Amino acid sequence: MSRRTMALLSQWTSRVFSVDMDGETVYFKIHDTQTGKGGKEVLRMFGNIQKGASCYSLLVSSGEKIHSARFHWKLKDKLSTALPPQCRFSPMCSFLPGVRDSLVHGYFLQAPSSDSSATTERLLRQWLRLDDPLLVCSYLHEENTPRWIQHLWNTEQNHGIVPSEAPESHPATLNLINSDVFYSFQAARDVLQKCADIIPEAASVLELLPCDGDMEARSKPDFPIIVLEGLDATGKTTLTESLRDALGATLLRSPPPCLSPWRARFDQEPPILRRAFYALGNYITAQQIYSQTSKTPVIIDRFWHSTAAYAIATAVNGPVCDLPAEGSELYRWPSDLLQPSVVFLLTLDPEERKRRLKDRGQGETKEEHELDLNQVFRLRVEEAYKRISGPTCISVDASSSAEQVLRQVLLLIKAKRYL
Ligand SMILES: Nc1nc2c(ncn2[C@H]2C[C@H](O)[C@@H](COP(=O)(O)OP(=O)(O)OP(=O)(O)O)O2)c(=O)[nH]1
Ligand SMILES: Nc1ncnc2c1ncn2[C@@H]1O[C@H](COP(=O)(O)OP(=O)(O)O)[C@@H](O)[C@H]1O
């Protein structure tokens, strides 16, 4: 058994478990049967489990962050293809309240019948024999009582379980720092260096990175640095191009074109790799900004706000109130990343945005598709954008014509004396 698994087991009875069940996140914890302590034994979390269904949980217990993230990322496909069709599974995680990096991801399985449960058990035992980095539990309902028992397969331990109150901040925030959001060039580069042997494209990206010395803070830029942010189809590309023409500016994009050959490859990877890729794209763009800002104003289409907002809004999968609180250190601007003069956040009515997306006719990223399907995700992205600290971020209503939006932004630039 790996050291990580043993470490996980040593904290087992202090952990809280969370399961996303039918749109609701349910929390439960071990009921300390030895001392008889523990809350009321009415377990609402199992309230909507079909009668006679068998339940299992899988937690990814492997050690190294990248290996664990990639194993968990592939586990979802494995479950989708290997489980009996009538089985259901939901995201599950386990964490030590308030303990950074204690979050462990997994899935909660429901097998509705004895046949499907026998097949599921056989499958899980096979995976355990493969020494897959998994902790497996099954849940048994004690007849005629509201009690459920969690049976930990890897060690034959049994525990009663009871509901747990929702933690103060969403469990995902425990692991965000340098796993979903990267607050330094070094932290993001480390991730790509560690995965270079499993993802050859990482080596190509590493070759394009600035050297450490180049990351030192530079003198104040001569010309303004203006970032345009916003959801897809809010009009960023249109506005950045017209601003470039109106101001005689240089137009840059993040991630920069030099990373385009590998973007789709990293978009397929789990968050720790994908977000490190985008974060490094911002640092390469920062170098390009430095080289231009002594000659002309610089306009950038997406920068750090997109990277951080999409990462936080993806990791925290509940309603907007589950986002880290305003002022949280998780919204801070990386101390080694150039800060623009101003960020304009284009906002648009969802229906108008959908119309423009359709009119544009381009494909949309998986993330944008998710934005359309999942209004709550879109609201989290929009709110996370606004909470990012650092440069001034001005919301601009982008619903009027392209000409009017341009005029509005030029007036703001002039009024705030950015030029
Ligand atoms: N540029 C950028 N996009 C990110 C980042 N993290 C996630 N994304 C997602 C947001 C969108 O779903 C998609 C945006 O990618 P692009 O900016 O290349 O697409 P596109 O130029 O079509 O977006 P746009 O039309 O400017 O909204 O990628 C990031 O750090 N930077
Ligand atoms: N202010 C605007 N009013 C109406 N349509 C617009 C406006 N700005 C952009 N569009 C159109 O909406 C679509 C998306 O614009 P685009 O600039 O590509 O947005 P983004 O870069 O934010 O994805 C394009 O077809 C574009 O022509």
Side-chain angles (χ1 to χ4, degrees):
M1 188 179 291
S2 76
R3 268 182 308 127
R4 167 63 185 241
T5 304
M6 288 164 76
L8 212 56
L9 290 173
S10 66
Q11 312 150 336
W12 196 253
T13 53
S14 317
R15 289 186 152 267
V16 173
F17 303 86
S18 90
V19 178
D20 294 353
M21 195 170 270
D22 304 332
E24 184 198 0
T25 300
V26 176
Y27 295 94
F28 66 94
K29 60 187 178 184
I30 299 293
H31 168 46
D32 182 345
T33 40
Q34 280 67 29
T35 61
K37 279 194 197 133
K40 254 186 335 127
E41 297 188 1
V42 176
L43 283 182
R44 66 189 166 84
M45 77 161 280
F46 286 105
N48 43 10
I49 295 279
Q50 287 164 295
K51 195 130 183 62
S54 302
C55 303
Y56 307 90
S57 62
L58 300 183
L59 286 172
V60 178
S61 64
S62 85
E64 203 277 320
K65 270 198 305 192
I66 297 173
H67 174 66
S68 165
R70 297 192 86 221
F71 181 83
H72 174 254
W73 195 248
K74 290 177 184 150
L75 182 59
K76 184 171 183 178
D77 293 341
K78 229 174 147 179
L79 288 169
S80 309
T81 47
L83 277 181
Q86 62 274 54
C87 281
R88 293 167 52 197
F89 61 91
S90 338
M92 174 178 196
C93 68
S94 159
F95 58 96
L96 293 166
V99 177
R100 235 191 85 178
D101 283 337
S102 69
L103 184 71
V104 175
H105 290 282
Y107 292 96
F108 184 78
L109 283 56
Q110 297 178 49
S113 66
S114 54
D115 290 355
S116 58
S117 128
T119 311
T120 303
E121 294 223 3
R122 230 184 351 268
L123 183 74
L124 297 178
R125 293 200 186 281
Q126 264 171 28
W127 288 352
L128 279 184
R129 276 199 296 280
L130 294 175
D131 196 25
D132 276 342
L134 286 175
L135 283 179
V136 178
C137 294
S138 49
Y139 296 86
L140 213 54
H141 181 204
E142 282 189 345
E143 284 310 314
N144 310 321
T145 77
R147 272 170 61 83
W148 283 70
I149 300 294
Q150 183 187 63
H151 171 56
L152 186 49
W153 286 15
N154 311 58
T155 63
E156 303 310 312
Q157 286 175 31
N158 283 352
H159 297 288
I161 55 177
V162 290
S164 171
E165 59 293 339
E168 253 172 56
S169 51
H170 189 281
T173 57
L174 294 170
N175 281 38
L176 273 178
I177 296 180
N178 295 337
S179 288
D180 294 276
V181 186
F182 289 87
Y183 296 91
S184 75
F185 172 72
Q186 178 71 45
R189 185 179 60 183
D190 282 357
V191 166
L192 259 68
Q193 283 172 335
K194 282 184 185 150
C195 75
D197 54 333
I198 33 179
I199 304 180
E201 294 84 349
S204 314
V205 175
L206 288 166
E207 282 166 15
L208 294 170
L209 297 185
C211 312
D212 273 330
D214 292 352
M215 303 311 299
E216 300 307 316
R218 309 275 186 97
S219 57
K220 194 169 165 3
D222 301 332
F223 285 90
I225 301 164
I226 301 164
V227 174
L228 271 300
E229 289 283 5
L231 300 185
D232 214 357
T234 45
K236 293 186 299 305
T237 307
T238 305
L239 182 56
T240 48
E241 289 167 355
S242 52
L243 270 175
R244 172 200 56 199
D245 303 342
L247 301 175
T250 304
L251 173 54
L252 298 173
R253 283 195 167 78
S254 181
C258 64
L259 291 188
S260 302
W262 305 294
R263 181 169 184 178
R265 177 67 185 83
F266 280 89
D267 276 348
Q268 295 160 18
E269 288 296 326
I272 188 168
L273 293 174
R274 179 165 191 239
R275 305 301 175 191
F277 173 82
Y278 279 113
L280 293 172
N282 291 325
Y283 286 99
I284 295 174
T285 303
Q287 298 306 308
Q288 295 171 352
I289 295 169
Y290 281 126
S291 67
Q292 291 302 321
T293 185
S294 56
K295 304 172 206 158
T296 70
V298 181
I299 313 282
I300 306 110
D301 184 340
R302 289 186 190 271
F303 194 52
W304 169 253
H305 277 72
S306 278
T307 307
Y310 277 92
I312 293 170
T314 304
V316 174
N317 59 356
V320 173
C321 61
D322 275 356
L323 285 172
E326 285 195 72
S328 161
E329 61 158 346
L330 298 171
Y331 296 115
R332 73 181 185 281
W333 193 275
S335 57
D336 63 355
L337 181 64
L338 168 129
Q339 285 207 21
S341 321
V342 62
V343 177
F344 289 110
L345 175 61
L346 299 187
T347 58
L348 191 59
D349 163 77
E351 286 316 307
E352 170 61 11
R353 194 176 78 84
K354 264 193 191 155
R355 193 191 61 71
R356 291 185 189 179
L357 205 54
K358 210 165 55 250
D359 282 1
R360 185 172 68 178
Q362 273 171 8
E364 55 181 9
T365 58
K366 191 167 144 296
E367 224 148 24
E368 291 307 331
H369 183 60
E370 173 65 14
L371 281 172
D372 275 347
L373 290 182
N374 181 343
Q375 194 202 0
V376 176
F377 174 54
R378 182 169 53 73
L379 292 172
R380 288 201 307 271
V381 174
E382 288 175 340
E383 184 55 31
Y385 262 129
K386 294 171 189 161
R387 295 186 182 181
I388 307 268
S389 65
T392 316
C393 182
I394 301 174
S395 287
V396 173
D397 176 359
S399 54
S400 48
S401 74
E403 296 69 30
Q404 285 165 326
V405 174
L406 171 63
R407 234 189 332 274
Q408 190 185 345
V409 170
L410 285 172
L411 279 174
L412 282 167
I413 292 173
K414 202 162 166 218
K416 304 270 181 182
R417 302 189 195 296
Y418 290 124
L419 275 181

